[in-house]
Amino acid sequence: MRKQPDMRNASRTTPPGRGFTLIELLVVMAIIGVLISLLLPAVQSAREAARRMQCVNNLAQLSLAVLQYQAAHEMFPAGTINPAGPIANKPVGYHHSWVVQILPYLDQPALHAHINVDLGIYDVANATATNRTLHSLLCPSSPYGVATKNFANYVGNHHHDEAPIDVTNTGLLYLNSQIRDEDIADGRVNTILIGERRPDPADLGWASGTRWTLRNGGTKINAFGPFATAKQPDPVGGFASYHPGGANFVFADGHVYFLKQTMSQVALQRLLNRADGELIDELGW
């Protein structure tokens, strides 16, 4: 008969099971923390790259709408419409913005039809339409988004330097402007049409042809200011974004470019002036 193995001493030869010690657990947790800290910036960078690409797409759609308007009317839309200037940055006046004029070319004909052009843009009869959210006007990097309803991150170029919005501005979209191709002496490819802005208190929205849809080169990109002074108590302000390092701009020929905030203010102002005749040596990209 086959002899059965003696199992009485088997437990004595099998090594006992063991778990993590406290030190080992702390080491593993530290390694995981380091890996997460290394991974998070990469994830954030990838998300910002995607948001910036969506912003570029928004600006491309806006430029296409402006160029379609120009093809139909043989001129760019007026930056703002009002009987007289300069424009005060207050909800008083006719003030129909360039965004209002291009609504049919943004695939918003019904919204455009609900705006009564016989009335000022702040009239209560226009409130239902002008309080609407236009997602194509919102930069995905902005923390405000649809919560502000009629907010717009994108603004037209009205002047190369800090100045009131008026009929004598040097940009492409200003008071009662009627810019044609021959008026852009520096060429479309060298002239900024639209850029980005950050939100302001008491924002009047995309329908208001004031500093809420028009900006200038009075400051460097992403710079603070300008601040009210005795000479300029109601400043219009410059371009700024929530993208690190600069802001997206669309030029009059339709191409979109990211301009770095380190570029000189002089170079920026030359890009904003449609007919200064100056060559640009430093663009900051």
Side-chain angles (χ1 to χ4, degrees):
M1 179 181 290
R2 187 175 179 179
K3 187 177 180 180
Q4 296 294 323
D6 188 357
M7 303 298 294
R8 287 175 297 176
N9 296 322
S11 60
R12 299 177 184 176
T13 59
T14 304
R18 59 185 294 271
F20 286 109
T21 66
L22 179 60
I23 294 178
E24 290 172 330
L25 181 62
L26 291 175
V27 170
V28 170
M29 292 178 65
I31 293 174
I32 293 174
V34 170
L35 292 176
I36 291 176
S37 66
L38 293 174
L39 182 61
L40 280 178
V43 172
Q44 292 294 339
S45 178
R47 286 179 176 176
E48 170 54 27
R51 290 191 291 261
R52 190 167 129 182
M53 185 59 65
Q54 181 59 49
C55 180
V56 168
N57 182 66
N58 289 345
L59 283 167
Q61 293 299 318
L62 280 177
S63 69
L64 180 60
V66 171
L67 294 179
Q68 287 179 323
Y69 179 100
Q70 191 222 13
H73 300 272
E74 298 184 351
M75 61 183 174
F76 286 88
T80 180
I81 302 174
N82 204 64
I87 297 298
N89 297 306
K90 300 175 183 178
V92 179
Y94 186 74
H95 291 185
H96 285 238
S97 73
W98 60 274
V99 179
V100 172
Q101 298 165 66
I102 68 169
L103 285 176
Y105 307 98
L106 280 175
D107 201 24
Q108 295 287 349
L111 181 58
H112 185 263
H114 278 79
I115 296 177
N116 190 335
V117 296
D118 295 325
L119 302 173
I121 203 63
Y122 312 112
D123 193 283
V124 66
N126 285 325
T128 300
T130 59
N131 284 329
R132 291 276 182 169
T133 298
L134 291 178
H135 293 278
S136 58
L137 299 178
L138 300 175
C139 173
S141 292
S142 172
Y144 290 83
V146 298
T148 52
K149 291 187 178 180
N150 60 351
F151 178 68
N153 281 110
Y154 307 118
V155 286
N157 159 30
H158 87 93
H159 197 57
H160 72 279
D161 202 357
E162 178 57 46
I165 301 167
D166 213 337
V167 295
T168 57
N169 293 161
T170 60
L172 295 177
L173 304 171
Y174 53 92
L175 176 59
N176 301 331
S177 56
Q178 296 181 341
I179 296 297
R180 301 176 183 272
D181 279 339
E182 54 268 28
D183 299 316
I184 311 175
D186 288 353
R188 289 188 178 205
V189 71
N190 298 314
T191 309
I192 289 173
L193 175 63
I194 302 167
E196 295 189 77
R197 77 167 176 101
R198 293 179 180 177
D200 292 305
D203 204 293
L204 297 179
W206 54 262
S208 174
T210 54
R211 71 187 307 269
W212 285 273
T213 52
L214 298 168
R215 291 299 174 93
N216 58 54
T219 59
K220 294 183 68 175
I221 299 170
N222 289 349
F224 291 102
F227 301 101
T229 63
K231 183 179 179 180
Q232 178 66 306
D234 190 24
V236 178
F239 297 90
S241 80
Y242 285 95
H243 305 301
N248 285 314
F249 291 82
V250 62
F251 288 70
D253 67 334
H255 82 275
V256 182
Y257 218 105
F258 185 80
L259 295 181
K260 294 181 180 179
Q261 62 192 35
T262 54
M263 75 181 298
S264 72
Q265 187 176 357
V266 172
L268 174 65
Q269 289 178 333
R270 288 177 178 174
L271 291 174
L272 293 169
N273 193 323
R274 67 181 182 274
D276 64 352
E278 297 290 339
L279 298 179
I280 303 171
D281 297 323
E282 182 266 313
L283 291 180
W285 47 59

